[in-house]
């Protein structure tokens, strides 16, 4: 199975840069932006499989960004990172189509497992969608 393309969205530069380096070291292709608005622009230009999104950012927060991501690329899986646990936020993330919710800081191994599981879910869904389409006639 090919490796997923990851987009990191976090306003904390040191966290974003370090996490990007660690994921690249794992052989992943990783883009990184510092805001929800930048993430939406990036998604209009490039395709990503899994988006790792901070919930608390200045400007457009993670929930508003998640909602817009799903309208631009409904197939992408979104993992939300938060430094603040909230049952209300977890419920809202689920309602908006987020894949999962992790507390910051989380161990790299845990994040990698979540990314892998999210990517597998995306690939499985795409394969089911392809199988359910009628074959196209060739000329």
């Amino acid at each position: 199975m090919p490796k997923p393309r990851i987009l990191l969205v976090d306003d904390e530069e040191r966290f974003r840069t370090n996490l990007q380096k660690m994921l690249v070291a794992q052989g992943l292709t990783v883009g990184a932006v510092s805001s929800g608005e930048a993430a939406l622009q990036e998604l209009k230009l490039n395709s990503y499989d899994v988006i790792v999104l901070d919930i608390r950012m200045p400007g457009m927060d993670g929930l508003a960004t998640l909602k817009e991501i799903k309208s631009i690329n409904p197939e992408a899986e979104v993992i939300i990172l938060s430094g603040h646990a909230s049952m209300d936020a977890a419920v809202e993330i689920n309602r908006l189509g987020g894949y999962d919710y992790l507390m910051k800081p989380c161990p790299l191994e845990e994040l990698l497992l979540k990314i892998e599981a999210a990517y597998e879910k995306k690939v499985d869904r795409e394969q089911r969608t392809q199988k359910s389409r009628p074959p196209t006639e060739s000329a």
Side-chain angles (χ1 to χ4, degrees), residues 42-91:
E42 178 64 18
L43 288 171
K44 290 174 183 172
L45 300 173
N46 297 296
S47 174
Y48 291 91
D49 301 301
V50 179
I51 297 150
V52 178
L53 176 64
D54 187 20
I55 197 165
R56 289 206 177 165
M57 297 181 290
M60 181 182 268
D61 73 6
L63 293 176
T65 304
L66 170 59
K67 188 175 181 181
E68 291 300 315
I69 286 169
K70 286 298 189 172
S71 71
I72 292 170
N73 183 356
E75 298 300 313
E77 292 296 345
V78 181
I79 298 169
I80 301 284
L81 292 179
S82 176
H84 313 275
S86 160
M87 191 52 133
D88 291 342
V91 168

Side-chain angles (χ1 to χ4, degrees), residues 1-7 27-30 48-50 112 115-116 118-120 122-123:
M1 179 184 292
K3 300 244 183 195
R5 289 179 43 85
I6 312 298
L7 179 61
L28 298 171
T29 300
V30 183
Y48 291 91
D49 301 301
V50 179
L112 286 168
I115 288 170
E116 188 177 313
Y119 182 56
E120 286 175 11
K122 178 184 186 281
V123 169

Side-chain angles (χ1 to χ4, degrees), residues 83-114:
H84 313 275
S86 160
M87 191 52 133
D88 291 342
V91 168
E92 187 66 6
I93 289 161
N94 191 33
R95 189 184 72 75
L96 292 172
Y99 177 75
D100 210 339
Y101 176 80
L102 293 172
M103 291 300 296
K104 256 167 115 172
C106 73
L108 180 62
E109 296 77 27
E110 183 179 353
L111 180 58
L112 286 168
L113 288 171
K114 293 290 184 186

